[in-house]
Amino acid sequence: MVIIELSNPREVVRQRIGPLGERLIGTVVDPEAQVEKALIQELEEAFRNYGIEARILSVQGAQLIGRHQLELPIQVREERDVRISES
């Protein structure tokens, strides 16, 4: 299992939407969810290209505590099942 913790979603969204949209970060735009959604799309495409089947989840509420503990509960924001169809 692989866990990816995003460390700079606000900065990524800020770069994408510019100074005018920056005021919306946190009120209208959830930067973490937006970056996760884009990342999931890229991962899904890469997995399909490599023939990897996977379940990709975007969750809310999980916290990494140091290097040895993952705190839950989680809320699933988005889920994708990547399957390779056989011709």
Side-chain angles (χ1 to χ4, degrees), residues 7-25:
S7 58
N8 67 337
R10 284 185 170 275
E11 290 78 17
V12 171
V13 171
R14 188 174 289 122
Q15 289 173 0
R16 298 285 180 188
I17 64 177
L20 183 60
E22 187 174 350
R23 294 184 186 141
L24 302 175
I25 296 176

Side-chain angles (χ1 to χ4, degrees), residues 37-57:
K37 186 173 185 169
L39 181 60
I40 285 172
Q41 290 172 345
E42 293 295 322
L43 286 171
E44 182 179 16
E45 184 177 326
F47 286 0
R48 287 186 191 284
N49 289 339
Y50 281 96
I52 297 170
E53 293 186 348
R55 185 174 177 195
I56 304 168
L57 300 169

Side-chain angles (χ1 to χ4, degrees), residues 56-71:
I56 304 168
L57 300 169
S58 169
V59 299
Q60 183 176 6
Q63 292 283 323
L64 287 174
I65 301 171
R67 294 177 48 96
H68 303 287
Q69 191 174 3
L70 177 64
E71 186 178 274

